[in-house]
Amino acid sequence: MPPPSAPPSAVPDNQAGPSPALVRALRQALRPLVRLMLAQGITYPYLADLLKGLFVEVAERDFRLDDKPPTDSRVSLVSGVHRKDVSRLRPLLRTPGALAPTVVPLGAQLAARWMGDARYLQDDGQPRPLARLASEGGEQSFEALVASVNNDIRSRVVLDEWLRQGVVHLDEQGQVCLDATAFVPTRGAQEKAFYLGHNLHDHAAATVHNVLGGAPPFLERSVHYDALSPESVARLAKLGEQHGMKALLAMNKVAMEAEASDRSLDPQPPRQRFTMGVYFYSAPVPSGEESSE
């Protein structure tokens, strides 16, 4: 196969309608989400109502003229949603929706510090097992780690939740050990849903930016083969996890240092966020067919 390259543009040459390539891409991208929704009891009528509000929201926010709030008629024209529905939905969109569970951002901060701060790392760069209490381990304790991020929550509450989720376990000495592969809870539907939205949004946003000709383009590359044995795929999955985690841990360390440096220079700087992700997926190739997943 050729070297990894940026995806070709799917923007149609004429604006009469979407290109067949774009339609195929959308069907392929939406397939796993439709599978998730059906598995969770979300049917087409529910999704259609959800999409109606989303089309109105994006048309109102991202398709303005001269940065002025668009009229209901313009939102209707851009989105294809009936003007009466636009008028009904726009006030509802200004009502804050359900917030992400607070344990997720806090947990992400804790895991990032545990995997990036030298105080909590072993000589080989792996997260150090931590004593539960500061009275036992001082600065190298789970209690001190939690306090370094948030003083308003007890470390025991976080520990109990992480043990429930499978993010940490206790070793024979009763020390708290982090799953160094990543902060991805093995249990906890809310936490998984948070990262589903966060990671898929940012990956899709980077791809859409590139497809629409945004400059400079975002990094968005992949390597894919379709004639491998299950044994080879298993070996490649392990290799991908090892190298992917090395890259993520290195980025986490530099980002943490940069954040501290930026705050020391300006306590209230203009804020910008970033996401860098790694993923691996495999599936059987249907006999005599091209893979569609």
Side-chain angles (χ1 to χ4, degrees), residues 68-103:
K68 296 179 180 178
T71 63
D72 288 352
S73 295
R74 173 164 173 77
V75 171
S76 177
L77 174 66
V78 172
S79 66
V81 177
H82 194 282
R83 191 168 63 84
K84 290 184 178 179
D85 286 327
V86 172
S87 180
R88 173 180 62 87
L89 289 168
R90 290 182 79 179
L92 298 178
L93 296 174
R94 299 184 182 93
T95 302
L99 298 177
T102 55
V103 68

Coordinates of all heavy atoms in Angstrom, one line a residue, residues 68-103:
K68 N -23.5 38.2 12.1 CA -24.7 38.6 12.7 C -25.6 37.4 12.9 O -25.6 36.4 12.1 CB -25.4 39.6 11.8 CG -24.7 40.9 11.6 CD -25.4 41.8 10.7 CE -24.7 43.1 10.5 NZ -25.4 44.0 9.5
P69 N -26.4 37.4 14.0 CA -27.3 36.2 14.3 C -28.3 36.1 13.1 O -28.9 37.1 12.7 CB -28.0 36.6 15.5 CG -27.1 37.6 16.2 CD -26.4 38.3 15.1
P70 N -28.4 34.9 12.5 CA -29.3 34.8 11.4 C -30.8 34.8 11.8 O -31.1 34.5 12.9 CB -28.9 33.4 10.8 CG -28.4 32.6 12.0 CD -27.7 33.7 12.9
T71 N -31.6 35.2 10.8 CA -33.0 35.1 11.0 C -33.5 33.7 11.0 O -32.8 32.8 10.5 CB -33.8 35.9 10.0 OG1 -33.5 35.3 8.7 CG2 -33.3 37.4 9.9
D72 N -34.7 33.5 11.5 CA -35.3 32.1 11.4 C -35.4 31.7 10.0 O -35.2 30.5 9.7 CB -36.7 32.1 12.0 CG -36.7 32.2 13.5 OD1 -35.6 32.2 14.1 OD2 -37.8 32.4 14.1
S73 N -35.7 32.6 9.0 CA -35.8 32.2 7.6 C -34.5 31.7 7.1 O -34.4 30.8 6.3 CB -36.3 33.4 6.8 OG -37.6 33.7 7.2
R74 N -33.4 32.4 7.5 CA -32.1 32.0 7.0 C -31.7 30.6 7.5 O -31.2 29.8 6.8 CB -31.0 33.0 7.3 CG -29.6 32.5 6.9 CD -28.6 33.6 6.8 NE -27.2 33.0 6.7 CZ -26.8 32.5 5.5 NH1 -27.5 32.5 4.4 NH2 -25.6 31.9 5.5
V75 N -31.9 30.4 8.8 CA -31.6 29.1 9.5 C -32.4 28.0 8.8 O -31.9 26.9 8.5 CB -31.9 29.2 11.0 CG1 -31.8 27.8 11.6 CG2 -31.0 30.1 11.7
S76 N -33.7 28.3 8.4 CA -34.5 27.4 7.7 C -33.9 27.1 6.3 O -33.9 25.9 5.9 CB -35.9 27.9 7.6 OG -36.7 27.0 6.9
L77 N -33.5 28.1 5.7 CA -32.9 27.9 4.3 C -31.7 27.1 4.3 O -31.5 26.2 3.5 CB -32.6 29.3 3.7 CG -31.9 29.3 2.3 CD1 -32.8 28.7 1.3 CD2 -31.5 30.7 2.0
V78 N -30.8 27.4 5.3 CA -29.5 26.7 5.4 C -29.7 25.2 5.8 O -29.1 24.3 5.3 CB -28.5 27.4 6.3 CG1 -27.3 26.6 6.5 CG2 -28.2 28.8 5.7
S79 N -30.6 25.0 6.8 CA -30.7 23.7 7.5 C -31.7 22.8 6.8 O -31.6 21.6 6.9 CB -31.0 23.9 8.9 OG -32.4 24.5 9.1
G80 N -32.7 23.4 6.1 CA -33.8 22.6 5.6 C -34.9 22.3 6.6 O -35.8 21.6 6.3
V81 N -34.7 22.8 7.8 CA -35.7 22.6 8.9 C -36.8 23.6 8.7 O -36.5 24.8 8.4 CB -35.1 22.7 10.3 CG1 -36.1 22.6 11.4 CG2 -34.0 21.6 10.4
H82 N -38.1 23.2 8.8 CA -39.2 24.1 8.6 C -39.1 25.3 9.6 O -38.7 25.2 10.7 CB -40.5 23.4 8.9 CG -41.7 24.2 8.4 ND1 -42.3 25.2 9.1 CD2 -42.5 24.0 7.3 CE1 -43.3 25.7 8.4 NE2 -43.5 24.9 7.3
R83 N -39.5 26.5 9.1 CA -39.3 27.7 9.9 C -40.0 27.7 11.2 O -39.6 28.3 12.2 CB -39.8 29.0 9.0 CG -39.4 30.3 9.7 CD -39.6 31.4 8.7 NE -41.0 31.6 8.3 CZ -41.9 32.3 9.1 NH1 -41.5 32.9 10.2 NH2 -43.1 32.4 8.7
K84 N -41.2 27.1 11.2 CA -41.9 27.0 12.5 C -41.1 26.2 13.5 O -41.1 26.5 14.7 CB -43.3 26.3 12.3 CG -44.3 27.2 11.5 CD -45.7 26.5 11.4 CE -46.6 27.5 10.6 NZ -48.0 26.8 10.5
D85 N -40.5 25.1 13.1 CA -39.7 24.3 14.0 C -38.4 25.1 14.4 O -38.0 25.0 15.5 CB -39.2 23.0 13.3 CG -40.4 22.0 13.2 OD1 -41.2 22.0 14.1 OD2 -40.4 21.2 12.2
V86 N -37.8 25.9 13.5 CA -36.7 26.7 13.8 C -37.1 27.7 14.9 O -36.4 27.9 15.9 CB -36.2 27.5 12.6 CG1 -35.1 28.5 13.0 CG2 -35.6 26.5 11.6
S87 N -38.2 28.3 14.8 CA -38.7 29.3 15.8 C -38.9 28.6 17.1 O -38.7 29.2 18.2 CB -40.0 30.0 15.3 OG -40.5 30.9 16.2
R88 N -39.4 27.4 17.1 CA -39.6 26.7 18.4 C -38.3 26.2 19.0 O -38.2 26.2 20.2 CB -40.5 25.5 18.1 CG -40.7 24.5 19.2 CD -41.6 23.4 18.9 NE -41.1 22.6 17.8 CZ -40.2 21.5 18.0 NH1 -39.8 21.3 19.3 NH2 -39.8 20.8 17.0
L89 N -37.4 25.8 18.2 CA -36.2 25.2 18.7 C -35.1 26.2 19.2 O -34.4 25.9 20.1 CB -35.6 24.2 17.6 CG -36.3 23.0 17.4 CD1 -35.8 22.3 16.1 CD2 -36.3 22.0 18.5
R90 N -35.0 27.3 18.5 CA -33.9 28.2 18.8 C -33.9 28.6 20.3 O -32.8 28.7 20.9 CB -33.9 29.4 17.9 CG -33.5 29.1 16.5 CD -33.5 30.3 15.6 NE -32.3 31.1 15.8 CZ -32.1 32.2 15.1 NH1 -32.9 32.6 14.2 NH2 -30.9 32.9 15.3
P91 N -35.1 29.0 20.9 CA -35.0 29.4 22.3 C -34.6 28.2 23.2 O -33.9 28.4 24.2 CB -36.5 29.8 22.6 CG -37.0 30.1 21.3 CD -36.4 29.2 20.3
L92 N -35.0 27.0 22.8 CA -34.6 25.8 23.6 C -33.1 25.5 23.6 O -32.5 25.1 24.6 CB -35.3 24.5 23.1 CG -36.9 24.6 23.2 CD1 -37.4 23.3 22.6 CD2 -37.3 24.7 24.6
L93 N -32.4 25.9 22.5 CA -31.0 25.7 22.4 C -30.2 26.6 23.3 O -29.0 26.3 23.5 CB -30.6 25.9 20.9 CG -31.2 24.9 19.9 CD1 -30.8 25.3 18.5 CD2 -30.7 23.5 20.2
R94 N -30.8 27.6 23.7 CA -30.1 28.6 24.6 C -30.2 28.1 26.1 O -29.5 28.7 27.0 CB -30.6 30.0 24.5 CG -30.5 30.5 23.1 CD -31.0 32.0 23.0 NE -30.9 32.5 21.6 CZ -31.8 32.4 20.7 NH1 -33.0 31.9 21.1 NH2 -31.7 32.9 19.5
T95 N -30.9 27.0 26.3 CA -31.0 26.5 27.7 C -29.9 25.5 27.9 O -29.7 24.6 27.1 CB -32.4 25.8 27.9 OG1 -33.4 26.7 27.7 CG2 -32.5 25.2 29.3
P96 N -29.1 25.7 28.9 CA -27.9 24.8 29.1 C -28.4 23.3 29.2 O -29.4 23.0 29.9 CB -27.3 25.2 30.4 CG -27.8 26.7 30.6 CD -29.1 26.7 29.9
G97 N -27.7 22.4 28.5 CA -28.1 21.0 28.5 C -27.4 20.3 29.6 O -26.8 20.9 30.5
A98 N -27.6 19.0 29.6 CA -27.0 18.2 30.7 C -25.4 18.3 30.6 O -24.8 18.2 29.6 CB -27.4 16.8 30.5
L99 N -24.8 18.5 31.8 CA -23.4 18.7 31.9 C -22.7 17.3 31.9 O -23.3 16.3 32.4 CB -23.0 19.5 33.1 CG -23.5 20.9 33.1 CD1 -23.1 21.6 34.4 CD2 -23.0 21.7 32.0
A100 N -21.5 17.2 31.5 CA -20.7 16.0 31.6 C -20.5 15.7 33.1 O -20.4 16.6 33.9 CB -19.4 16.1 30.9
P101 N -20.5 14.4 33.4 CA -20.3 14.0 34.9 C -18.9 14.6 35.4 O -17.9 14.5 34.7 CB -20.3 12.5 34.9 CG -20.0 12.1 33.4 CD -20.6 13.2 32.6
T102 N -19.0 15.2 36.5 CA -17.8 15.9 37.0 C -16.6 14.9 37.3 O -15.5 15.4 37.2 CB -18.1 16.6 38.4 OG1 -18.6 15.7 39.3 CG2 -19.1 17.7 38.1
V103 N -16.9 13.6 37.5 CA -15.8 12.7 37.7 C -14.9 12.6 36.5 O -13.7 12.3 36.6 CB -16.3 11.3 38.1 CG1 -17.0 10.7 37.0 CG2 -15.2 10.4 38.6

